[in-house]
Amino acid sequence: MGRPQAVIGGFMAAENLRYLSEKEGIHVCQGTIWSQYAVDNGAGDGSIVYRNYPSKEHFNKPAQSAKDLIDCVNLDGWMIDFLNARYPGARRIDGVNCGSRMGVGPIETVIRLGTELGVSQMLATTSTHFDKGFELNGFAG
């Protein structure tokens, strides 16, 4: 078995991502989690939810030039439903429990919506990112 080609790391600083790229030859990392608004004491608040090549300055900042770029695509590990992501925490909307973590995450989505509707929501969110994302961009993730 060879060395890993990608890393799941959660909150990876720019220097960590640079190390993965330059020293380990790893060019894909799920290095951001929970980019949604007002959750987990700031955690990844303010990060972008689309993959990017990060800046050497900060993992949440996309590279501004080739000189600034870290050659390690930084993926967000918590793909979410963008309508629900506008709300901090959880709330009821039209009688449905909604919250900023709903989307692909089974814990919040299934607990709040139940199995049938929750799994349906997870599949729809995944399809939006992978199927529609690939259709629009030629890249999915």
Side-chain angles (χ1 to χ4, degrees), residues 52 67 139:
N52 69 88
K67 185 178 177 183
F139 183 91

Side-chain angles (χ1 to χ4, degrees), residues 11 32-48 60:
F11 302 105
T32 302
I33 297 178
W34 303 325
S35 55
Q36 69 272 27
Y37 173 70
V39 174
D40 293 326
N41 299 315
D45 265 357
S47 68
I48 59 175
N60 276 348

Side-chain angles (χ1 to χ4, degrees), residues 2 18-19 34 41 45 55 60 75 77-78 81 85 94 106 112-113 139-140:
R18 187 198 61 75
Y19 180 89
W34 303 325
N41 299 315
D45 265 357
S55 164
N60 276 348
L75 304 174
W78 203 272
D81 175 316
D94 295 329
R112 289 186 180 137
L113 298 178
F139 183 91

Side-chain angles (χ1 to χ4, degrees), residues 41-62:
N41 299 315
D45 265 357
S47 68
I48 59 175
V49 293
Y50 296 108
R51 63 250 163 228
N52 69 88
Y53 284 97
S55 164
K56 292 178 180 176
E57 184 180 339
H58 194 277
F59 80 102
N60 276 348
K61 179 182 178 184

